[in-house]
Amino acid sequence: MSGATLLKESGPREVFCGLTSIVWLHRRMPDAFFLVVGSRTCAHLIQSAAGVMIFAEPRFGTAILEEKDLAGLADAHEELDRVVHDLLARRPEIRTLFLVGSCPSEVIKLDLARVAERLNSKLNGTVRIVNYSGSGIETTFTQGEDGALKALVPLMPTSQDEQLLLVGTLANAVEDRLVKLFNRLGITKVSSFPPRQSTNLPSVGPGTRVLLVQPYLSETARLLKDRGAEILCAPFPLGVEGSMLWMQTATSSFGIKDSTVQEILNPLILRARQALTPYKEKLTGKRLFLLPESQLEIPLARFLNRECGMQIVEIGTPYLNKEMMSKELELLPENTVVVEGQHVEKQLDRVREKHPDLVVCGMGLANPLEAEGISTKWSIELVFSPIHGIDQSSDLAELFSRPLHRHELLNRKQLANA
Amino acid sequence: MELTLWTYEGPPHVGAMRIASSMEDVHYVLHAPQGDTYADLLFTMIERRGKRPPVTYTTFQARDLGGDTAELVKSHIREAVDRFEPKTLLVGESCTAELIQDQPGSLAAGMGLNVPVVSLELPAYSKKENWGAAETFYQLVRGLLTNQTSTKEQKEHLPNRWKEANRRPKVNLLGPSLLGFRCRDDVIEVKKLLSDFGIEINVVAPLGASSDDLRKLPEADVNVCLYPEIADSTCQWLERNYGMPFSKKVPIGVGATKEFLEELHELLEMTPPDKNQISRKSRLTWYSESVDSNYLTGKRVFIFGDGTHVLAASKIANEELGFEVVGLGTYSREMARPVRAAAKELGLEALITNDYLAVEAAMEEVVPELVLGTQMERHSAKRLGIPCAVISTPMHVQDVPARYSPQMGWEGANVIFDDWVHPLMMGLEEHLIGMFRHDFEFVDGHQSHLGHLGGHQEKPKDDPQSIPSESSSSEESPTWTPEGKEELAKIPFFVRGKVRRNTEKYARQAGCRKIDGETLYDAKAHFKA
Ligand code: SF4
Ligand code: SF4
């Protein structure tokens, strides 16, 4: 293991709950609908996190529990049946309906698995109903995707075929690029999960090697393993180095010769490193503080440190799966402070005290920090942007250098006068 | 259970946050799971606040539920009080905590804190944001005032005591809050307005007020209820308990501003304002009279939003701009009654709903030329190709402009004239661009802001190209011939929908199967007659 110093902290947290991942999942699978069974708070959270992008009729919604639903669970079940029925009648294009549990539905013990089962037998396969929890008492932000994917695993067909399965939502263009690269490297069958069509689930079985695209899918990985797949352990595909090691983990597992891999990847690596240079100049020596939110904090810090020369002040992470992160932790410099959990006030005290050049944080904290003269980057942007793979490395670096660049532009006078 | 794709209002505890964040020295401990911290971004993003809302969330987790969540609440309260040293502590819970019944309010009360505690009970499964804001403001005022021994003078409140005391009359401005529509600037404008008449301001609350300011409320002669959604219950309580009368007119629009001033003068027993002092103070009046505004005559406008702004807008549209109000509604159940009454006066039935799709459908049906609504109506109007101005919350970051842009008072009326007429003009321009699009100056794809604002390019629904052609349509509905479509395309887009529907209606009535140019003109004549 590395020299990272692992600390724990608890207290008030400032993170999204798992419902938030609906914001990108519904875009990945346009034939699916995400129905949260929750409160007005849940509805308001999703629409606020989705921000300005409201669609004519979004593919997510909330069945808002009302007083009478709390009074009797039997009625709540009936009511939910009615809501689902109305929804499906109105939106015949829906093929998969995710019933998403929330804190209120869990506290009142509304058993969505049973509801799903009942509705499935009623609907007779025309629409598939699955359920998972995105509640804030159980899940943090990106963990919602883990729940959604986990719910789909049992529906995946079985196959003995040798194949590579990429797990985690990717931007479509990035996915195409990565699949093509793997093909060129000699892995012929590459599928992605989640798929672009919810009904078009990839197969899984003993011949399947799973390569995780995102670091927050531990439960999904566990179920895939139960279905016979082998889970490859690699750093995550952020930055040149991470993406390269990630791809190499797959190629070596498929027995592809190193020389072949180098021949194909080296030109890409060279090009990507070149593209990184201007950002590296901007970022080198700058001090970075990551507040916990998306689970991408550790891989991002590793990239920004090793390839962009940033100094890490602190890495916050909402929770730490040491096994999943082992390859990442190994790459961190000696004595890097990794704090699991959060006490937002104490953490902000440390931010103020250490005065980093850039803070990666949630949207609620960004402007207040900016107002204190600290540049920020929203972590939610990182789960929406196409940042994975060797070719995207400079784009990823650009995301972090822009706030610094802007800060400089706006403070030029001051610097000159100083 | 209610299926909601999008909601106009957040839960009631977000209303409480609006009050806490508006004030200077209040802290709110909210018993809530971690995901509820999203609400901070409403303030820091939409309002671009450089300060975090003064809220401590207990962020309890499933594993805490088996144990002692009450102890968890208490430790967060203790820490928040130590760290933030508030002058007043609000304690409450969000939807989930309401179910586990830890009663954080009584827990706090039993802790022997040396700070006043106001406990909030905001039923999350039946109430919404504005109600929560109003209730919080009311509980705060009540909580801070009833701890005080009121002086005799306060009990026998006379709105004209300023005369005896030989001072200027003074009022409280109640209701402005963060995440309210243009409150920041309304306060400045109303202050200015009142100072012209020698009326002083005692306290503005909750926006910018401290706990001590709230304690000072009874020192004013009269309360001004600027935003009834937020301040009505507080004003009523102050009237009942301190005998303070309050004004009911909201000064949005020229006429309403006059009425407001007259009402306030009367309440304060001042000599009524001189006619010269209150006429033609806003440019709206002359701008509306000027010949250039002739084209505004009878513009059909659809209005939807919160109660206060919708009522004001319908009056301005109708009486000050010469528009025709063709739809009126609100998402605010608390304001349903006055909105219904206003609609009835206009011969309309008010639309009271929280379902934006129902609002969009109503809009589509009456085919207005201008929509005045919330950020959601802007989206819907855009889909329908209708110009729109935002007049009410909920809003986007772009509805919190950097420039001074109140809605209230004389300047507010000026702003309203510009804000409403501008999209109409842009709509016209768009049409002209369409007409001249074959001229070389107009490169392909040139569009006014209506076309590119925000990016999702959706074809307006009345694009003639999208009308089903003859072969594809069903039995009952008449079909458009290519020549008919061509003729329809020449109709300005903002009335095209109406013309199309009328023509189809006429064709059906007349038993006509094919619509060509002539049918269109027949229909036009028919509906004029
Ligand atoms: S934390 Fe719980 S109650 Fe709050 S939005 Fe998330 S699921 Fe809903
Ligand atoms: S286009 Fe996008 S940003 Fe603009 S108003 Fe519509 S949703 Fe909001």
Side-chain angles (χ1 to χ4, degrees):
Chain A
M1 268 289 246
S2 74
T5 312
L6 306 181
L7 303 173
K8 281 193 188 184
E9 191 169 62
S10 68
R13 297 155 70 96
E14 176 98 10
V15 286
F16 285 130
C17 61
L19 295 185
T20 322
S21 48
I22 292 172
V23 177
W24 62 90
L25 283 170
H26 87 279
R27 297 177 69 184
R28 173 68 182 181
M29 291 178 279
D31 62 342
F33 191 99
F34 292 81
L35 181 64
V36 176
V37 183
S39 65
R40 188 165 306 280
T41 317
C42 309
H44 203 229
L45 160 97
I46 304 177
Q47 82 189 36
S48 305
V52 295
M53 283 313 155
I54 309 291
F55 310 90
E57 280 205 47
R59 290 182 307 274
F60 54 82
T62 308
I64 295 187
L65 295 163
E66 292 168 306
E67 221 123 64
K68 59 177 191 293
D69 302 309
L70 304 178
L73 271 183
D75 302 340
H77 280 248
E78 235 165 69
E79 277 286 282
L80 189 52
D81 282 12
R82 177 185 61 80
V83 167
V84 168
H85 183 264
D86 290 356
L87 177 71
L88 293 178
R90 193 191 165 101
R91 309 287 289 274
E93 76 283 6
I94 297 169
R95 294 277 72 90
T96 305
L97 176 67
F98 288 88
L99 294 177
V100 190
S102 67
C103 307
S105 79
E106 272 161 32
V107 170
I108 66 169
K109 303 214 157 49
L110 192 58
D111 186 351
L112 294 183
R114 247 182 58 211
V115 177
E117 200 178 306
R118 191 179 60 236
L119 286 169
N120 268 327
S121 67
K122 212 158 92 184
L123 290 165
N124 227 340
T126 48
V127 180
R128 257 187 334 211
I129 318 276
V130 291
N131 75 287
Y132 72 94
S133 166
S135 84
I137 54 176
E138 296 277 8
T139 63
T140 302
F141 196 22
T142 48
Q143 252 179 320
E145 176 169 343
D146 196 17
L149 298 191
K150 185 180 146 192
L152 292 175
V153 171
L155 305 175
M156 293 165 79
T158 307
S159 129
Q160 312 294 322
D161 290 357
E162 269 245 311
Q163 62 161 342
L164 180 64
L165 183 61
L166 306 179
V167 177
T169 299
L170 281 171
N172 289 354
V174 173
E175 179 199 359
D176 289 341
R177 173 73 181 155
L178 290 174
V179 170
K180 213 183 280 158
L181 273 180
F182 279 121
N183 291 158
R184 267 171 62 193
L185 288 165
I187 305 177
T188 43
K189 193 171 172 210
V190 186
S191 335
S192 319
F193 181 53
R196 294 181 198 189
Q197 285 272 315
S198 70
T199 46
N200 203 3
L201 291 173
S203 59
V204 64
T208 304
R209 323 257 162 90
V210 167
L211 198 51
L212 295 176
V213 168
Q214 305 280 18
Y216 41 74
L217 300 168
S218 46
E219 281 294 293
T220 306
R222 191 174 57 78
L223 290 202
L224 289 169
K225 196 168 164 198
D226 289 349
R227 297 270 320 254
E230 181 193 345
I231 313 295
L232 304 177
C233 192
F236 293 92
L238 297 178
V240 178
E241 182 189 32
S243 306
M244 181 187 76
L245 292 172
W246 182 77
M247 296 190 94
Q248 277 173 353
T249 307
T251 50
S252 71
S253 143
F254 278 80
I256 292 160
K257 275 209 306 269
D258 259 1
S259 56
T260 317
V261 176
Q262 271 165 24
E263 197 182 309
I264 292 171
L265 292 188
N266 278 352
L268 302 188
I269 292 168
L270 222 67
R271 187 178 61 191
R273 292 222 164 106
Q274 220 147 40
L276 264 180
T277 321
Y279 304 114
K280 188 173 172 177
E281 268 165 33
K282 262 256 125 71
L283 294 169
T284 294
K286 292 287 181 345
R287 300 164 65 249
L288 174 72
F289 198 121
L290 301 104
L291 294 185
E293 191 165 58
S294 67
Q295 285 292 303
L296 292 172
E297 293 83 12
I298 294 175
L300 284 174
R302 180 261 303 154
F303 162 66
L304 291 167
N305 169 256
R306 292 173 63 97
E307 294 181 59
C308 303
M310 290 189 89
Q311 284 174 35
I312 301 168
V313 178
E314 178 174 325
I315 305 176
T317 182
Y319 56 94
L320 180 64
N321 187 322
K322 281 191 207 136
E323 198 185 333
M324 188 107 345
M325 286 292 180
S326 60
K327 297 280 181 218
E328 290 285 351
L329 290 171
E330 278 167 20
L331 295 174
L332 290 176
E334 204 68 12
N335 297 326
T336 306
V337 178
V338 178
V339 178
E340 177 184 6
Q342 185 175 32
H343 187 303
V344 64
E345 307 298 347
K346 290 186 186 162
Q347 202 155 34
L348 289 174
D349 286 347
R350 294 198 295 275
V351 168
R352 290 184 188 111
E353 183 197 326
K354 308 248 166 83
H355 209 94
D357 298 293
L358 185 67
V359 174
V360 178
C361 64
M363 289 197 281
L365 296 173
N367 265 337
L369 287 171
E370 293 279 352
E372 292 181 32
I374 298 173
S375 293
T376 60
K377 174 87 239 147
W378 298 331
S379 44
I380 192 166
E381 206 178 329
L382 300 162
V383 290
F384 292 146
S385 310
I387 55 171
H388 296 86
I390 298 172
D391 307 300
Q392 310 295 327
S393 305
S394 60
D395 291 353
L396 181 57
E398 203 267 348
L399 286 177
F400 293 91
S401 71
R402 190 180 309 168
L404 292 175
H405 182 55
R406 181 160 188 80
H407 193 85
E408 269 167 35
L409 281 177
L410 299 182
N411 294 291
R412 246 185 320 210
K413 262 253 186 61
Q414 253 162 273
L415 289 181
N417 292 345
Chain B
M1 211 172 279
E2 178 201 346
L3 175 63
T4 301
L5 301 175
W6 187 86
T7 167
Y8 286 93
E9 289 182 76
H13 72 261
V14 168
M17 286 182 64
R18 283 172 56 186
I19 304 299
S21 308
S22 296
M23 289 189 54
E24 294 297 322
D25 53 12
V26 171
H27 197 87
Y28 184 19
V29 174
L30 181 65
H31 196 20
Q34 59 184 10
D36 293 9
T37 59
Y38 81 87
D40 285 0
L41 76 87
L42 304 171
F43 297 86
T44 63
M45 300 298 296
I46 296 176
E47 289 252 14
R48 293 182 213 255
R49 292 275 289 173
K51 261 203 261 172
R52 287 166 65 211
V55 181
T56 296
Y57 304 83
T58 60
T59 60
F60 62 89
Q61 294 178 304
R63 61 165 180 267
D64 300 319
L65 288 179
D68 194 352
T69 41
E71 204 34 63
L72 183 87
V73 174
K74 285 204 256 179
S75 73
H76 277 93
I77 290 175
R78 211 168 290 126
E79 224 186 299
V81 169
D82 288 348
R83 179 178 276 269
F84 299 103
E85 300 178 344
K87 292 279 163 51
T88 307
L89 186 71
L90 289 173
V91 181
E93 50 201 1
S94 75
C95 51
T96 309
E98 186 180 328
L99 299 171
I100 55 180
Q101 300 185 329
D102 281 324
Q103 257 124 29
S106 11
L107 290 175
M111 286 172 67
L113 301 169
N114 56 358
V115 50
V117 175
V118 174
S119 161
L120 297 175
E121 270 171 46
L122 310 174
Y125 298 91
S126 54
K127 300 292 190 190
K128 299 190 198 130
E129 176 180 333
N130 279 335
W131 184 90
E135 176 70 9
T136 303
F137 187 41
Y138 160 70
Q139 293 293 352
L140 254 174
V141 168
R142 208 181 77 152
L144 290 178
L145 284 179
T146 39
N147 282 337
Q148 252 184 188
T149 41
S150 40
T151 62
K152 182 154 173 285
E153 190 199 14
Q154 281 169 350
K155 284 287 177 198
E156 291 158 17
H157 186 101
L158 291 172
N160 65 1
R161 74 188 150 155
W162 56 277
K163 291 184 181 167
E164 260 172 61
N166 216 358
R167 57 165 171 82
R168 302 300 321 164
K170 41 181 190 186
V171 299
N172 298 318
L173 303 185
L174 301 184
S177 71
L178 290 182
L179 291 178
F181 197 69
R182 308 280 165 91
C183 291
R184 174 195 76 194
D185 296 342
D186 281 349
V187 168
I188 300 173
E189 187 62 21
V190 172
K191 276 186 178 170
K192 219 187 292 174
L193 182 68
L194 295 185
S195 81
D196 287 347
F197 295 90
I199 300 170
E200 289 176 358
I201 307 297
N202 179 49
V203 167
V204 179
L207 195 62
S210 66
S211 302
D212 282 341
D213 287 337
L214 294 192
R215 292 190 178 93
K216 270 182 9 201
L217 284 175
E219 288 170 24
D221 301 305
V222 161
N223 285 319
V224 171
C225 183
L226 276 190
Y227 302 92
E229 270 95 344
I230 311 296
D232 188 60
S233 46
T234 303
C235 288
Q236 297 214 26
W237 185 82
L238 287 168
E239 183 170 65
R240 274 198 312 278
N241 288 274
Y242 289 83
M244 299 175 79
F246 65 98
S247 63
K248 293 171 187 82
K249 298 276 181 219
V250 178
I252 303 179
V254 177
T257 300
K258 280 187 202 167
E259 288 167 19
F260 163 75
L261 287 169
E262 284 162 356
E263 183 190 19
L264 201 56
H265 277 74
E266 202 178 307
L267 289 174
L268 288 164
E269 297 179 22
M270 297 168 76
T271 28
D274 187 343
K275 280 273 167 293
N276 288 328
Q277 258 185 304
I278 56 170
S279 5
R280 308 195 75 83
K281 286 289 181 188
S282 169
R283 273 176 224 112
L284 177 141
T285 314
W286 165 241
Y287 270 49
S288 185
E289 286 164 354
S290 72
V291 64
D292 188 66
S293 294
N294 253 317
Y295 79 99
L296 299 176
T297 313
K299 285 282 176 209
R300 297 157 50 78
V301 20
F302 181 96
I303 306 173
F304 192 88
D306 70 4
T308 301
H309 291 90
V310 148
L311 288 169
S314 93
K315 193 169 142 92
I316 297 167
N318 195 38
E319 295 170 16
E320 294 170 26
L321 295 171
F323 291 168
E324 184 195 351
V325 179
V326 294
L328 184 64
T330 181
Y331 56 80
S332 165
R333 301 233 168 243
E334 291 82 14
M335 296 288 276
R337 194 187 297 180
V339 173
R340 279 209 180 93
K344 202 164 162 208
E345 243 171 69
L346 297 167
L348 299 168
E349 198 182 325
L351 178 65
I352 313 291
T353 180
N354 190 38
D355 177 1
Y356 75 95
L357 291 172
V359 180
E360 180 173 332
M363 214 186 276
E364 196 173 1
E365 172 145 354
V366 297
V367 203
E369 289 155 278
L370 175 67
V371 169
L372 303 174
T374 73
Q375 59 139 312
M376 189 41 105
E377 281 64 52
R378 173 175 41 223
H379 293 284
S380 304
K382 193 172 158 207
R383 279 196 288 277
L384 299 173
I386 304 168
C388 174
V390 171
I391 59 156
S392 154
T393 52
M395 59 190 178
H396 270 171
V397 62
Q398 76 209 66
D399 304 312
V400 186
R403 66 176 185 279
Y404 182 57
S405 41
Q407 299 287 288
M408 294 186 173
W410 311 130
E411 183 61 20
N414 295 339
V415 169
I416 286 175
F417 184 90
D418 290 347
D419 280 359
W420 297 10
V421 170
H422 183 76
L424 274 172
M425 275 196 325
M426 295 307 281
L428 273 175
E429 259 169 40
E430 177 117 337
H431 168 57
L432 292 177
I433 288 167
M435 268 172 54
F436 296 120
R437 73 176 149 230
H438 300 300
D439 292 13
F440 71 93
E441 291 97 326
F442 291 95
V443 282
D444 226 14
H446 178 107
Q447 280 174 317
S448 78
H449 81 300
L450 284 170
H452 60 242
L453 228 192
H456 354 281
Q457 290 286 347
E458 285 178 70
K459 267 199 176 171
K461 287 203 180 152
D462 284 301
D463 182 8
Q465 296 317 315
S466 63
I467 296 175
S469 55
E470 292 164 66
S471 52
S472 68
S473 63
S474 68
E475 277 297 300
E476 312 83 52
S477 56
T479 53
W480 290 78
T481 65
E483 188 247 341
K485 278 194 207 173
E486 214 169 279
E487 211 54 49
L488 182 66
K490 292 178 196 157
I491 311 268
F493 77 94
F494 45 88
V495 284
R496 197 182 293 145
K498 187 167 113 191
V499 170
R500 179 185 161 192
R501 255 166 293 257
N502 279 348
T503 308
E504 286 172 358
K505 192 162 141 202
Y506 168 80
R508 262 191 300 272
Q509 282 169 8
C512 158
R513 308 282 316 120
K514 291 204 188 322
I515 300 175
D516 56 15
E518 284 311 308
T519 328
L520 207 147
Y521 285 105
D522 287 345
K524 193 173 166 203
H526 173 83
F527 283 105
K528 285 269 167 189

